[in-house]
Amino acid sequence: MIIDPLNEYLDLWEADKADRLIQNTNRLVGAFRSLQLPVIWVRQEFRSDLSDAFLEMRDKRIAVTIQGTRGAQLHAGLDWQPSDATIIKKRYSAFFKTGLDELLAELGIGELVLCGVNTHACIRMAAVDAYQRDFRVVLAEECVGSYDAEHARVSLDYMNGKIVRIATVSKIVETLSVTT
C-alpha cells in the first residue's frame, strides 16, 4: 500500500531524496506485480472549498491536494497502473471512511507493506489502524519519508517492533520470493 506520494508533497523535497523514494517504491511495486500480489495506492484529495477537509485545514484555510490539481496526483515517476486499486482518503488514515477495509477483506489480505509519506502522520495513522484491525504491518524502510525528520524518527522508534516491523526493500523482496 503506497500512501500519498503526491506532487504537492514530493515537489517540496530535495530532488535526489524524492527520486530515491520513487525508485525504491517502484522496485517494491515491481516485485509485488511479478508475484501477482495486489498493489494499492492511497491518495489524499479535497474539494476546493475544503468542505471535506479536516478541521485544521478548514480552520486555517490550508488548501493542499485539491481535487483536479496536479498537487493531488501521484508523482509521474511512480509505476502506477490503471489496473491498480486506488483509494481516495480525506483524513490521515487510509482506513477512515474509505473502502479500504472492504477491499482488503475481498483480497484476503493479512499483512500489509506500507510505503509513502508522511511517516509521522499518514503512514503512522495507517499503520496503527491496520494493526488495530489485526493486520501484520511492515514498513519499507527506503520507501517512507517525511518533511519532518524529528517526528518521523520518533514515530518510527515508537512503532518499530510493536505495531510494525521495519524492513529494507531487499529483505521484503527476499521474503516475498520465499513465501509465495
Side-chain angles (χ1 to χ4, degrees), residues 86-158:
T86 301
I87 298 288
I88 305 297
K89 68 181 180 72
K90 305 293 182 175
R91 298 296 185 268
Y92 288 160
S93 177
F95 289 91
F96 183 81
K97 294 186 180 180
T98 68
L100 184 56
D101 282 310
E102 294 79 10
L103 176 61
L104 296 173
E106 179 183 310
L107 294 171
I109 303 296
E111 183 171 4
L112 292 173
V113 176
L114 300 184
C115 303
V117 297
N118 281 299
T119 306
H120 67 283
C122 299
I123 299 298
R124 181 175 171 154
M125 290 302 298
V128 169
D129 281 354
Y131 177 78
Q132 293 297 312
R133 288 164 169 79
D134 294 329
F135 289 101
R136 296 196 184 279
V137 182
V138 177
L139 288 187
E141 186 173 24
E142 308 95 330
C143 301
V144 294
S146 180
Y147 68 88
D148 187 328
E150 177 63 15
H151 283 104
R153 184 193 59 74
V154 168
S155 291
L156 290 173
D157 288 347
Y158 168 73

Side-chain angles (χ1 to χ4, degrees), residues 6-83:
L6 306 175
N7 291 317
E8 189 93 41
Y9 303 131
L10 295 181
D11 284 352
L12 300 174
W13 287 26
E14 294 174 15
D16 62 329
K17 182 180 174 187
D19 288 344
R20 277 193 308 277
L21 182 115
I22 290 165
Q23 290 169 8
N24 286 315
T25 300
N26 286 343
R27 179 175 168 219
L28 194 56
V29 165
F32 269 69
R33 286 204 182 103
S34 72
L35 297 168
Q36 299 181 338
L37 295 170
V39 175
I40 302 169
W41 299 87
V42 178
R43 287 192 308 110
Q44 175 178 274
E45 75 174 29
F46 303 104
R47 294 186 190 114
S48 59
D49 66 1
L50 302 179
S51 60
D52 59 346
F54 50 88
L55 290 174
E56 180 188 22
M57 290 180 68
R58 286 183 279 168
D59 291 348
K60 297 179 180 178
R61 304 299 303 159
I62 299 169
V64 295
T65 64
I66 300 302
Q67 183 177 16
T69 67
R70 180 184 169 280
Q73 298 304 310
L74 295 169
H75 190 282
L78 291 161
D79 185 17
W80 175 86
Q81 294 181 8
S83 59

